Amino acid sequence: MFTSIERKSPRNRRRRAQAVAIAALWAGALTLAGLTVAAWLSASAKAAPANVSQPVQTASSAPARVKAPSGIGRDATPAELSAWDIDVRPDFKGLPKGQGSVADGQKLFDARCASCHGTFGESNEVFNPLVGGTTADDIKTGHVASLRANNQPVRTTLMKVDTISTIWDYIRRAMPWNAPRSLTPDEVYAVTAYILNLGEIVPADFVLSDKNIADVQKSMPNRNGMTRAHGMWRVGDKPDTHNKACMQDCPEAGIVTSALPAYARDAHGDLAAQNRVIGPVRGVDTKLPPLSGTAAQNASVRKTAALVTLGMTSPDAPAQTAAVTSPAATLADKNGCLACHGVTDKKIGPAFSEVATKYHGQSDATEKLVAKIRAGGAGNWGSMPMPPQAQVAETDVRTMVDWILRGAH
């Protein structure tokens, strides 16, 4: 028996050796595969941002949304998106449904627009005219002839604008000056219809709506006046000018400046205070001599001077907001009163200090001023009318009147 086992041992040894070799090959292959997978997972982890879930896609599924890092912002709500998404395109996409007549537009214009734009859009020394300079032939051709003839003293809105959507969109966003975005869509349609009627584009009995505005667009005087076939729109297109730069005898440094003539410097009060106190650049403070500092220094001085005029700070104090002044001053700022009236300096309307002086000692001064503010009017302080302020609460009007009669202190 022993001898028989010894004879078979060489074959058994070969079989065991073969089995060990095959096992070693499988082990090496599995090890190599494991290392490859580990390396791939490690590279993927390094490439992916922290705390971002990686979307799993299939051939039939849409790309999954990438989750924002925790603690940084949030998705905008539908209400927030709709509040910003109000633009109206030239093809009228985004235009809300509604309508407004020329007659209704005239009432709104007289009440809320005429004080700045004139009763018939002819200007009231505040803004350029809205209408004028266009003819019946312009409406037929879509080209405003006076733009080429250069025979108009000023270019009006209807001379320049080529789409009704531009007018509609701007009125909705920015008008009236003291209460932007307070008009309803129907009111915007009405005011736009009245302006178009002033330009003799639509008749007096016309009702403008989202259904017929595209047809009215075909009668805009300057509808064919804008072209995109030039280099301002597409790189490589034909430029607007054909001059060649000489590049000789150039000055070392160019000076860009503008100035008001001396006779016109204080014709309309402090221009700086008649702008919204937003941003680094202010209008010229016409109550002071011309400034000679740097642009940044001048901007700071102008803004502070404007705040002083508006009664929102003192000359020796840093700029403050209306929120830290008296409740009456806050109301005056909120309701747009400070856009036309300064505290101590005349602007479009009289200064509050002038009003206080005029009515000083009159027992019925409060009731007179409340009635004037509510009804509006012109003639007491010049030809510039004040629009009625019927939208302001009675208690707020009385609070502001009491503040004005005390010298706006």
Side-chain angles (χ1 to χ4, degrees):
M1 186 70 180
F2 180 80
T3 305
S4 174
I5 292 175
E6 285 297 322
R7 288 196 195 102
K8 295 178 179 178
S9 62
R11 182 182 296 177
N12 292 336
R13 284 197 297 269
R14 284 196 300 270
R15 288 178 178 175
R16 284 197 296 270
Q18 290 174 352
V20 171
I22 292 172
L25 289 173
W26 274 108
L30 292 173
T31 300
L32 180 60
L35 291 173
T36 302
V37 172
W40 179 79
L41 292 174
S42 176
S44 299
K46 290 180 180 179
N51 298 328
V52 178
S53 61
Q54 299 301 308
V56 178
Q57 299 183 18
T58 64
S60 60
S61 65
R65 292 184 60 187
V66 177
K67 184 179 180 181
S70 60
I72 302 178
R74 60 171 175 79
D75 290 342
T77 65
E80 290 169 336
L81 291 175
S82 63
W84 283 97
D85 188 18
I86 64 170
D87 63 297
V88 179
R89 300 191 331 188
D91 61 0
F92 302 110
K93 184 175 182 180
L95 186 72
K97 294 182 179 181
Q99 64 178 24
S101 67
V102 172
D104 289 340
Q106 182 176 5
K107 296 176 184 177
L108 284 164
F109 195 92
D110 289 345
R112 309 193 67 179
C113 312
S115 60
C116 290
H117 293 288
T119 304
F120 302 104
E122 77 284 5
S123 177
N124 215 2
E125 298 184 355
V126 181
F127 298 109
N128 281 350
L130 298 176
V131 299
T134 59
T135 66
D137 287 338
D138 298 338
I139 294 175
K140 293 179 182 178
T141 63
H143 289 283
V144 177
S146 58
L147 288 175
R148 295 181 176 177
N150 201 27
N151 56 5
Q152 281 290 117
V154 64
R155 294 186 175 185
T156 69
T157 299
L158 288 185
M159 284 175 62
K160 297 181 293 183
V161 72
D162 60 322
T163 58
I164 300 179
S165 61
T166 303
I167 299 175
W168 201 100
D169 187 79
Y170 186 78
I171 293 173
R172 185 192 193 190
R173 288 173 180 272
M175 294 292 112
W177 179 259
N178 62 338
R181 294 190 64 179
S182 62
L183 298 177
T184 66
D186 285 349
E187 290 174 330
V188 178
Y189 278 109
V191 172
T192 305
Y194 179 63
I195 293 173
L196 295 174
N197 173 253
L198 291 175
E200 299 182 350
I201 298 170
V202 299
D205 60 351
F206 191 78
V207 177
L208 182 67
S209 71
D210 59 298
K211 294 180 174 60
N212 62 19
I213 194 170
D215 293 329
V216 181
Q217 170 62 35
K218 299 174 184 177
S219 298
M220 289 294 287
N222 197 38
R223 63 185 179 277
N224 297 322
M226 186 178 75
T227 174
R228 298 185 181 184
H230 51 74
M232 289 290 290
W233 282 92
R234 294 189 296 264
V235 176
D237 277 357
K238 186 178 180 180
D240 290 339
T241 61
H242 308 284
N243 297 328
K244 295 182 180 179
C246 69
M247 303 305 294
Q248 294 179 0
D249 302 322
C250 300
E252 293 184 2
I255 299 176
V256 180
T257 184
S258 63
L260 286 171
Y263 68 86
R265 190 164 179 80
D266 192 25
H268 299 285
D270 182 2
L271 295 184
Q274 297 175 37
N275 290 272
R276 296 171 180 172
V277 190
I278 298 172
V281 179
R282 301 293 305 160
V284 173
D285 181 357
T286 51
K287 304 295 289 185
L288 299 174
L291 300 176
S292 57
T294 65
Q297 291 170 338
N298 291 348
S300 177
V301 171
R302 288 167 180 161
K303 185 168 184 176
T304 301
L307 291 170
V308 171
T309 302
L310 297 175
M312 296 163 64
T313 187
S314 67
D316 301 321
Q320 304 176 49
T321 63
V324 297
T325 61
S326 68
T330 303
L331 285 172
D333 180 53
K334 174 184 175 182
N335 290 289
C337 306
L338 299 180
C340 296
H341 300 276
V343 173
T344 58
D345 293 315
K346 178 183 182 298
K347 299 202 311 187
I348 298 174
F352 289 147
S353 58
E354 294 178 296
V355 177
T357 300
K358 179 177 180 177
Y359 289 92
H360 179 69
Q362 299 184 25
S363 59
D364 59 345
T366 297
E367 299 304 321
K368 282 184 178 179
L369 283 180
V370 169
K372 287 181 180 295
I373 292 173
R374 304 288 286 178
N380 294 314
W381 298 93
S383 60
M384 189 72 71
M386 183 181 76
Q389 304 296 324
Q391 78 281 0
V392 184
E394 178 84 14
T395 54
D396 291 347
V397 173
R398 291 185 175 276
T399 298
M400 290 187 287
V401 166
D402 180 65
W403 174 66
I404 293 170
L405 291 176
R406 287 186 287 104
H409 296 304

